[in-house]
């Protein structure tokens, strides 16, 4: 502290920021550890690895693993800055901020987690609605859907580098905490948050449609070939229905309301760096990534 100028005043501490990191640290850590266990349990067992319906589960679990890892690393990196008295006086170049592991991984996992939820919901709807077509084409459909979601997520990851490169060229320096605000294009951030919030909510609605359709099938008597559904499909569908309920509680609502609160904060100027209550709500989505493991492991005993 003796090296600081005499005019130095301690940084103003944002309690929402501190609390968000304190929540993200354990939740993110548990999410990436448990999803790593789930991934290994499927990938190391050939009889599970060859099951086509588990491909989507593995793809979602990897996205949740990435989200949890980024949240854990990001919280461990940011918390000391937010709690220190001189953190706001430390600066870094934009590209150094963007090259941090959490900022790279977040740009991929932001979209991958939400869009994979929609993909799994659509997969279940097709399995229940068109069982014969699905049984013949499920392998190709799954690979195509995963490739599309991951492809879009990787493109988003690269697009996010545009503003940091522009800032680097202009010679601008950023606070070394390297928060999203000021580093990532705010319009891009809002669009992505809205898109992922809408995707999360859409997945829950599709799951509700699957539940309704399945209830009608149970009530109906008899059935033709098109209505035939294997017990394995029913079992996996019930698991994903529970996943849909979890999604709307711990992902859709926090994302959608978080975007609204974040935009309001930016419009009023109260928290121009998106560091208020809106940003805090996004930490809760780690709960959904965490519950993913228990839902699939509980609903699928072989896992």
């Amino acid at each position: 502290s003796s090296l600081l100028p005499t005019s130095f005043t301690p940084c103003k501490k944002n309690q929402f920021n501190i609390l968000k990191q304190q929540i993200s640290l354990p939740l993110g850590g548990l999410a990436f550890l448990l999803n790593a266990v789930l991934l290994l349990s499927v990938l190391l067992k050939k009889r599970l690895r060859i099951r086509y319906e588990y491909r989507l589960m593995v793809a979602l679990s990897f996205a949740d693993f990435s989200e949890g890892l980024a949240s854990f690393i990001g919280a461990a990196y940011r918390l000391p800055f937010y709690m220190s008295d001189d953190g706001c006086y430390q600066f870094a170049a934009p590209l150094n901020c963007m090259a941090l592991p959490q900022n790279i991984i977040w740009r991929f996992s932001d979209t991958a987690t939400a869009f994979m939820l929609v993909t799994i919901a659509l997969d279940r709807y097709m399995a229940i609605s068109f069982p014969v077509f699905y049984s013949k084409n499920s392998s190709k459909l799954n690979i195509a859907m995963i490739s599309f979601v991951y492809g879009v997520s990787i493109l988003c990851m690269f697009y996010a580098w545009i503003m940091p490169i522009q800032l680097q060229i202009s010679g601008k320096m950023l606070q070394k905490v390297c928060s999203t605000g000021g580093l990532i294009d705010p319009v891009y951030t809002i669009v992505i948050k809205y898109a992922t919030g809408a995707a999360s909510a859409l997945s829950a609605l599709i799951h509700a449609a699957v539940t309704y359709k399945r209830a009608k099938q149970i009530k109906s008597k008899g059935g033709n070939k098109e209505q035939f559904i294997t017990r394995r499909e029913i079992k996996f569908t019930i698991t994903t229905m529970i996943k849909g309920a979890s999604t709307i509680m711990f992902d859709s609502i926090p994302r959608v309301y978080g975007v609204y609160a974040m935009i309001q904060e930016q419009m009023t100027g109260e928290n121009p760096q998106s560091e208020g209550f809106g940003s805090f709500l996004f930490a809760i989505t780690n709960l959904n990534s965490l519950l993913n493991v228990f839902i699939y492991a509980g609903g699928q005993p072989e896992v």
Side-chain angles (χ1 to χ4, degrees):
S1 58
S2 59
L3 298 177
L4 295 171
T6 55
S7 60
F8 165 77
T9 55
C11 300
K12 182 180 178 182
K13 291 181 172 62
N14 186 309
Q15 294 305 315
F16 272 132
N17 263 339
I18 293 172
L19 184 59
K20 178 183 178 181
Q21 309 313 317
Q22 290 172 334
I23 290 175
S24 295
L25 191 65
L27 287 183
L30 284 171
F32 92 78
L33 283 174
L34 291 176
N35 275 284
V37 172
L38 180 61
L39 284 169
L40 288 173
S41 71
V42 176
L43 295 177
L44 295 180
K45 293 288 185 181
K46 184 178 179 181
R47 65 188 180 88
L48 298 180
R49 193 169 61 246
I50 62 176
R51 297 262 295 269
Y52 57 83
E53 69 267 30
Y54 282 170
R55 290 175 185 169
L56 293 173
M57 186 186 76
V58 166
L60 173 62
S61 188
F62 179 75
D64 285 339
F65 165 84
S66 302
E67 180 76 10
L69 181 60
S71 295
F72 177 78
I73 297 173
Y77 176 85
R78 292 175 175 179
L79 191 57
F81 287 98
Y82 287 136
M83 297 189 70
S84 69
D85 288 335
D86 64 342
C88 60
Y89 294 95
Q90 300 179 43
F91 298 91
L95 288 182
N96 289 342
C97 281
M98 195 63 193
L100 291 171
Q102 66 269 24
N103 284 331
I104 295 174
I105 300 171
W106 259 322
R107 305 290 76 81
F108 166 80
S109 64
D110 269 351
T111 50
T113 51
F115 293 157
M116 276 309 306
L117 290 172
V118 176
T119 300
I120 288 182
L122 286 172
D123 176 80
R124 291 301 88 202
Y125 184 83
M126 293 180 66
I128 289 293
S129 302
F130 313 103
V132 175
F133 172 82
Y134 181 82
S135 64
K136 293 179 180 178
N137 300 280
S138 57
S139 180
K140 293 179 181 179
L141 286 171
N142 288 349
I143 292 173
M145 289 190 289
I146 293 170
S147 299
F148 177 76
V149 171
Y150 274 31
V152 169
S153 300
I154 291 171
L155 285 176
C156 289
M157 182 176 67
F158 284 119
Y159 182 85
W161 281 77
I162 293 177
M163 183 170 171
I165 291 172
Q166 293 172 338
L167 293 172
Q168 184 85 13
I169 293 172
S170 66
K172 186 175 178 62
M173 298 293 285
L174 303 175
Q175 287 187 353
K176 200 172 180 180
V177 69
C178 297
S179 62
T180 300
L183 176 64
I184 308 298
D185 182 356
V187 175
Y188 167 82
T189 301
I190 291 173
V191 169
I192 290 296
K193 293 298 184 185
Y194 262 133
T196 55
S200 178
L202 177 61
S203 72
L205 291 175
I206 296 173
H207 278 300
V210 170
T211 304
Y212 173 75
K213 197 171 186 66
R214 179 62 194 137
K216 285 184 66 177
Q217 290 172 342
I218 292 173
K219 289 181 180 179
S220 64
K221 296 180 180 180
N224 54 38
K225 190 178 180 182
E226 285 293 326
Q227 293 173 320
F228 176 74
I229 305 167
T230 65
R231 289 184 63 186
R232 195 173 80 180
E233 290 289 354
I234 294 172
K235 189 173 162 185
F236 193 74
T237 300
I238 291 172
T239 301
T240 57
M241 288 176 188
I242 298 172
K243 177 62 182 169
S246 167
T247 296
I248 199 165
M249 287 293 296
F250 300 110
D251 197 280
S252 304
I253 294 174
R255 278 183 191 270
V256 172
Y257 188 76
V259 171
Y260 169 77
M262 184 180 73
I263 292 174
Q264 290 300 309
E265 290 161 2
Q266 290 179 334
M267 289 176 64
T268 60
E270 182 180 349
N271 286 287
Q273 300 300 313
S274 303
E275 297 173 343
F277 186 63
S279 178
F280 167 76
L281 285 173
F282 292 113
I284 299 175
T285 61
N286 283 299
L287 268 175
N288 197 47
S289 300
L290 183 61
L291 289 172
N292 173 44
V293 179
F294 295 99
I295 291 171
Y296 280 117
Q300 307 294 310
E302 63 269 29
V303 175

